């Protein structure tokens, strides 16, 4: 019977020691997890701040992009209008008579360098 009591006491002691070490280990693990959680929260806050900053920058760039697109559309429209005007003038010049061509090109000549139409002049 004494042997039984000793064995029971040893088993109870072993169980209590196991529970104590398990509980102690559990507290250490919890502490490590809490520290890691705090670090992750700090990193998350930093990333959220950077994300907001990048969102603001993105919005600014988006506004610039839209204004540049509008400017590009207006410039393209102006270029097309000028091309159309050029082609209209070319088509009009093709149908000019000789006198109309003379008048057209004499308007383009710089001052003092007007066209000389006298082809029979001898020097």
């Amino acid at each position: 019977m004494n042997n039984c009591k000793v064995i029971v006491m040893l088993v109870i002691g072993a169980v209590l020691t196991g529970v104590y070490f398990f509980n102690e280990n559990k507290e250490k693990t919890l502490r490590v997890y809490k520290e890691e959680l705090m670090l992750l929260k700090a990193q998350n806050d930093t990333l959220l701040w950077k994300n907001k900053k990048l969102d603001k920058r993105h919005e600014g760039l988006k506004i610039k992009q839209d204004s540049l697109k509008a400017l590009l559309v207006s410039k393209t429209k102006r270029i097309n209008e000028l091309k159309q005007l050029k082609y209209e003038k070319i088509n009009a010049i093709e149908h000019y008579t000789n006198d109309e061509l003379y008048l057209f090109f004499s308007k383009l000549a710089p001052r003092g360098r007007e066209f000389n139409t006298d082809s029979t002049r001898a020097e």
Side-chain angles (χ1 to χ4, degrees), residues 78-119:
R78 180 68 180 144
I79 288 171
N80 288 335
E81 289 171 356
L82 291 172
K83 282 181 182 179
Q84 183 65 29
L85 184 62
K86 179 182 89 171
Y87 292 131
E88 287 174 1
K89 286 183 179 182
I90 289 172
N91 286 335
I93 291 172
E94 287 178 356
H95 299 293
Y96 279 1
T97 63
N98 287 339
D99 291 335
E100 290 172 327
L101 284 172
Y102 172 77
L103 289 174
F104 177 80
F105 285 109
S106 65
K107 290 178 188 175
L108 296 178
R111 298 249 182 239
R113 301 185 99 206
E114 286 78 19
F115 287 109
N116 184 3
T117 59
D118 187 8
S119 63

Side-chain angles (χ1 to χ4, degrees), residues 1 6 11 15 36 39 50 56 60-61 63 65 72 80 88 98 103 108 119:
M1 187 85 128
V6 171
V11 170
V15 170
E36 190 175 335
L39 289 173
K50 287 181 180 179
K56 286 181 183 178
L61 291 174
I63 291 169
Q65 177 190 13
L72 181 65
N80 288 335
E88 287 174 1
N98 287 339
L103 289 174
L108 296 178
S119 63

Side-chain angles (χ1 to χ4, degrees), residues 9-116:
M9 291 290 268
L10 285 175
V11 170
I12 291 175
V15 170
L16 289 175
T17 306
V19 169
Y20 173 76
F21 284 118
F22 176 76
N23 196 21
E24 184 70 28
N25 194 16
K26 184 178 174 182
E27 288 178 13
K28 286 180 184 178
T29 305
L30 280 174
R31 194 172 336 131
V32 169
Y33 285 152
K34 284 182 182 180
E35 290 173 2
E36 190 175 335
L37 183 64
M38 295 301 278
L39 289 173
L40 290 174
K41 282 183 179 180
Q43 286 178 349
N44 192 29
D45 291 341
T46 303
L47 290 174
L48 285 173
W49 176 78
K50 287 181 180 179
N51 194 21
K52 286 180 184 179
K53 188 176 177 182
L54 288 174
D55 283 344
K56 286 181 183 178
R57 184 172 179 214
H58 179 261
E59 287 177 21
L61 291 174
K62 188 78 169 165
I63 291 169
K64 284 182 183 179
Q65 177 190 13
D66 292 342
S67 65
L68 288 174
K69 277 185 181 179
L71 182 64
L72 181 65
V73 167
S74 69
K75 295 291 184 182
T76 303
K77 184 178 177 182
R78 180 68 180 144
I79 288 171
N80 288 335
E81 289 171 356
L82 291 172
K83 282 181 182 179
Q84 183 65 29
L85 184 62
K86 179 182 89 171
Y87 292 131
E88 287 174 1
K89 286 183 179 182
I90 289 172
N91 286 335
I93 291 172
E94 287 178 356
H95 299 293
Y96 279 1
T97 63
N98 287 339
D99 291 335
E100 290 172 327
L101 284 172
Y102 172 77
L103 289 174
F104 177 80
F105 285 109
S106 65
K107 290 178 188 175
L108 296 178
R111 298 249 182 239
R113 301 185 99 206
E114 286 78 19
F115 287 109
N116 184 3

